[in-house]
Amino acid sequence: MIGFNAVIPMMLYMALGHFFTRAGFIKQDAYAQFNKAIFSILLPLNLFSNVYNTNIATDFNGLTLSFNIIFAIVAFIILAFIVPIFEKSNAKRGVILQGSIRSNAILFGLPMGIALLGQENLGMVTIVLATIVPLNNIFSVIAFSIYTDEKFSLKRTIKQVLTNPMVIFTFAGVVVAVLGIKFPSVIETTMGNLTRMTTPLALIVMGGTFNFGKLKDADWSLYGTVLARLVIIPTIALFIAGGLLDFRGADLISVLIATAGPTAVSSYAQAVVAGGDGDLANQIVVFTTVASMFSLVVFIMILKSLAYF
């Protein structure tokens, strides 16, 4: 029920977007403009808001945070070498790498964390997500920078990372949180309302641009990414964290949420802006979202039966 209740609303938003397209209410040009606004303003604001509302001093565990960061870095590096072996198209390489490592931690993970641990026990989970999400955003920028028909430029890649709106807003949130700055209630209310609006709008736009006709061309680039995102990566992470490092409770759930969720909705907007294969990015988000309803239930049942939380 946890997996089902987390996924079904997301699927309904995407179905609504597809209906808007089929009914002729919204044209593709309008979706492209929405997508630009989501990537440039709304998703960055979402990240800023999550960091702003994080109490860094609550339930902090340095080993848990370090493990999640190191695992994310190692997984990215290994996949960056593996993907080009199987895929020759640069437009798809960045999308595959991003889709494999970039979990929908905020939009999907937080509701699941609340259901598993309760709102009062989310301190460590929130800290991990506040760290992993911007780290994965940086990885996404790097992925599309190294897989390009142009000659690789470290200077250009660093510039793309530093000028990425989601990276800028995330670090701005960290500065504000560390300095203890608090905005007036009217600003917090507005920011909260915009944050809640971002997820439905991003999913509606994604559903509106989803092309079922492209599915006949689906190959390993889609199915392999789904398998890596939902099975291979979380299985390795949970085995190391739970089996070798003896993580329990909120510490292990933070690893589950950071590694086992579907591909982030924002990855589609990132792929389009970066010139990647938007259709493949769209398909990866949709397929991982649907399949995660089953894969997450299996992971949760196993961890619960072994008394890990």
Side-chain angles (χ1 to χ4, degrees), residues 9 36 82 115 143 220 231 256 271 278 283 306:
K36 185 176 181 180
I82 292 177
W220 84 268
V231 179
L256 174 71
Q283 293 166 7
L306 297 175

Side-chain angles (χ1 to χ4, degrees), residues 11-88:
M11 297 303 301
L12 292 177
Y13 286 131
M14 288 189 284
L16 183 61
H18 193 69
F19 168 75
F20 285 157
T21 297
R22 296 299 296 268
F25 292 146
I26 302 179
K27 303 297 183 184
Q28 288 300 314
D29 289 345
Y31 279 122
Q33 293 172 332
F34 273 125
N35 193 69
K36 185 176 181 180
I38 290 169
F39 176 78
S40 301
I41 301 296
L42 294 180
L43 282 172
L45 183 62
N46 187 299
L47 291 172
F48 176 88
S49 178
N50 279 285
V51 177
Y52 172 78
N53 290 305
T54 298
N55 185 352
I56 299 177
T58 302
D59 299 328
F60 180 78
N61 186 318
L63 178 60
T64 301
L65 182 60
S66 298
F67 171 80
N68 280 283
I69 293 174
I70 294 172
F71 183 85
I73 294 173
V74 172
F76 175 81
I77 293 174
I78 292 175
L79 287 170
F81 283 101
I82 292 177
V83 170
I85 298 176
F86 298 97
E87 179 57 58
K88 304 306 178 185

Side-chain angles (χ1 to χ4, degrees), residues 8-280:
I8 290 303
M10 300 174 71
M11 297 303 301
L12 292 177
Y13 286 131
M14 288 189 284
L16 183 61
H18 193 69
F19 168 75
F20 285 157
T21 297
R22 296 299 296 268
F25 292 146
I26 302 179
K27 303 297 183 184
Q28 288 300 314
D29 289 345
Y31 279 122
Q33 293 172 332
F34 273 125
N35 193 69
K36 185 176 181 180
I38 290 169
F39 176 78
S40 301
I41 301 296
L42 294 180
L43 282 172
L45 183 62
N46 187 299
L47 291 172
F48 176 88
S49 178
N50 279 285
V51 177
Y52 172 78
N53 290 305
T54 298
N55 185 352
I56 299 177
T58 302
D59 299 328
F60 180 78
N61 186 318
L63 178 60
T64 301
L65 182 60
S66 298
F67 171 80
N68 280 283
I69 293 174
I70 294 172
F71 183 85
I73 294 173
V74 172
F76 175 81
I77 293 174
I78 292 175
L79 287 170
F81 283 101
I82 292 177
V83 170
I85 298 176
F86 298 97
E87 179 57 58
K88 304 306 178 185
S89 169
N90 279 326
K92 288 185 176 181
R93 284 174 173 175
V95 172
I96 294 170
L97 180 54
Q98 174 186 237
S100 298
I101 57 97
R102 193 173 182 181
S103 175
N104 194 353
I106 296 296
L107 307 184
F108 195 90
L110 283 179
M112 187 171 69
I114 293 173
L116 294 175
L117 301 170
Q119 183 74 52
E120 67 281 1
N121 297 314
L122 282 184
M124 194 59 227
V125 172
T126 305
I127 292 172
V128 168
L129 295 187
T131 306
I132 291 299
V133 169
L135 183 61
N136 284 337
N137 290 336
I138 293 174
F139 286 156
S140 295
V141 176
I142 295 175
F144 286 107
S145 298
I146 59 178
Y147 298 136
T148 175
D149 294 330
E150 302 176 13
K151 184 179 180 180
F152 176 76
S153 169
L154 179 61
K155 182 179 179 180
R156 184 181 66 244
T157 300
I158 294 175
K159 180 180 178 181
Q160 289 175 334
V161 169
L162 296 179
T163 58
N164 183 284
M166 287 188 278
V167 175
I168 294 172
F169 274 64
T170 299
F171 280 104
V174 171
V175 171
V176 170
V178 170
L179 295 178
I181 298 174
K182 288 297 178 182
F183 298 138
S185 59
V186 63
I187 299 297
E188 290 186 344
T189 300
T190 303
M191 188 165 59
N193 289 337
L194 287 173
T195 298
R196 284 188 289 273
M197 181 187 74
T198 301
T199 302
L201 181 59
L203 290 168
I204 287 172
V205 170
M206 193 170 61
T209 56
F210 187 78
N211 188 344
F212 284 96
K214 294 286 185 178
L215 290 179
K216 67 179 184 297
D217 300 322
D219 55 16
W220 84 268
S221 60
L222 172 61
Y223 305 126
T225 304
V226 173
L227 184 65
R229 171 68 263 148
L230 298 181
V231 179
I232 298 175
I233 291 177
T235 297
I236 295 173
L238 290 170
F239 173 76
I240 296 174
L244 302 182
L245 299 179
D246 201 31
F247 282 14
R248 292 291 189 275
D251 295 320
L252 190 62
I253 295 303
S254 70
V255 176
L256 174 71
I257 292 174
T259 61
T263 301
V265 174
S266 56
S267 64
Y268 168 71
Q270 175 84 47
V272 172
V273 172
D277 189 325
D279 290 323
L280 176 60

